[in-house]
Amino acid sequence: MTVFDFHARLTPEPEALPRLLRALDAAGIARAAIAAGGVVDLDRLSAQLVDGGHSRATADNETVRAAGAGSGGRLVPFYFANPYAGVRAYRRDAARFRGLELSPAVYGVGFRDPRTVALVEVAAAAAHPVYTVGIGQSGARTADLVDLAREFPAVPFVLGHCGFTGIDIHAVNLIAPQPNIAAETSGCYSVVARAAVDLLGADRVLFGTEYPLQHPSVELAKLAALDLDPCSFRKVAWENAHRLLGETHQAEGRVL
């Protein structure tokens, strides 16, 4: 089983990288897309999801970049954008990253906000996929993401966690008509992940773990429980990630 984890995080602690690599090794995960973690603590983040609010803290993108550069291609770095900081840093460093993450949950900035649009314009120029998760606030819902994706039809967008909540079938239905939005499966119920495969097709679903918030073995068990046919499994677990990143793929973790 060759697996690409399309959504893991690297926190700023000194031992975070070796812990991540050990977790991937133990789970048999060959590659992972990584973005900065620990931008805000979980208590604050969960409160913002319910009550609104935002942070202006900047993610530790340099640690993510360095981890990716030193991994021999195993770790694929995504730039975690702070919309309050503008686009200059992302534009300057885009060539050293492989994708962009937008987080309305952390920053409280919606998908139609000019600051978000400016970041996606840089992603389009860099041929970066854009990973994000909608929230239940005006301007940052899945429907707003669909509007943004329509404006940038050549940019691949990935809806994290198959939506805002663990049972967000509505979000999966909303993105279904928009072909440049895929869904990532970490954190959602298995019935939602299965619905994503059925509604979107296996070509538009990616496996992820949300490590370290979720143990990889939990998400691998969910993937196995979907009972996908071998072709669909390869797409979800391996092939789709490489296609969105503009890579060709082969078995056993080799990238050609």
Side-chain angles (χ1 to χ4, degrees), residues 26-172:
I29 295 174
R31 302 184 76 197
I34 58 169
V39 181
V40 296
D41 65 61
L42 293 180
D43 181 70
R44 176 171 180 175
L45 180 61
S46 57
Q48 288 182 187
L49 287 170
V50 175
D51 299 325
H54 66 274
S55 170
R56 290 177 177 261
T58 296
D60 185 2
N61 288 307
E62 177 56 26
T63 292
V64 170
R65 183 211 62 78
S71 71
R74 186 180 190 186
L75 303 179
V76 179
F78 273 51
Y79 187 94
F80 195 114
N82 178 351
Y84 299 101
V87 301
R88 181 178 299 177
Y90 176 40
R91 182 183 291 118
R92 180 195 64 216
D93 294 336
R96 303 195 296 170
F97 290 84
R98 302 293 307 283
L100 170 68
E101 179 170 356
L102 301 171
S103 181
V106 171
Y107 292 113
V109 175
F111 294 120
R112 303 301 300 138
D113 188 286
R115 292 166 292 187
T116 297
V117 173
L119 287 162
V120 176
E121 287 173 344
V122 177
H128 283 174
V130 177
Y131 181 97
T132 192
V133 182
I135 56 177
Q137 297 170 23
S138 178
R141 297 186 173 100
T142 301
D144 301 301
L145 173 62
V146 172
D147 289 341
L148 178 63
R150 288 195 187 112
E151 187 173 334
F152 293 92
V155 174
F157 290 84
V158 178
L159 177 66
H161 316 319
C162 287
F164 172 46
T165 69
I167 56 170
D168 203 350
I169 296 285
H170 179 59
V172 178

Side-chain angles (χ1 to χ4, degrees), residues 140-229:
R141 297 186 173 100
T142 301
D144 301 301
L145 173 62
V146 172
D147 289 341
L148 178 63
R150 288 195 187 112
E151 187 173 334
F152 293 92
V155 174
F157 290 84
V158 178
L159 177 66
H161 316 319
C162 287
F164 172 46
T165 69
I167 56 170
D168 203 350
I169 296 285
H170 179 59
V172 178
N173 276 295
L174 283 173
I175 69 171
Q178 190 59 37
N180 61 322
I181 307 180
E184 179 268 327
T185 61
S186 67
C188 69
Y189 289 149
S190 58
V191 68
V192 178
R194 180 73 235 193
V197 175
D198 293 340
L199 291 167
L200 306 177
D203 289 322
R204 290 175 59 192
V205 180
L206 300 102
F207 170 80
T209 67
E210 186 65 278
Y211 173 91
L213 300 185
Q214 183 83 299
H215 196 284
S217 64
V218 176
E219 293 298 333
L220 287 168
K222 183 171 74 183
L223 178 63
L226 301 184
D227 195 26
L228 300 175
D229 64 82

Side-chain angles (χ1 to χ4, degrees), residues 4-6 31 129 205-207 234-247:
F4 192 125
D5 175 359
F6 203 77
R31 302 184 76 197
V205 180
L206 300 102
F207 170 80
R234 285 194 301 273
K235 289 178 179 180
V236 172
W238 187 252
E239 295 177 3
N240 294 341
H242 291 87
R243 176 169 47 80
L244 261 63
L245 291 165
E247 298 180 358

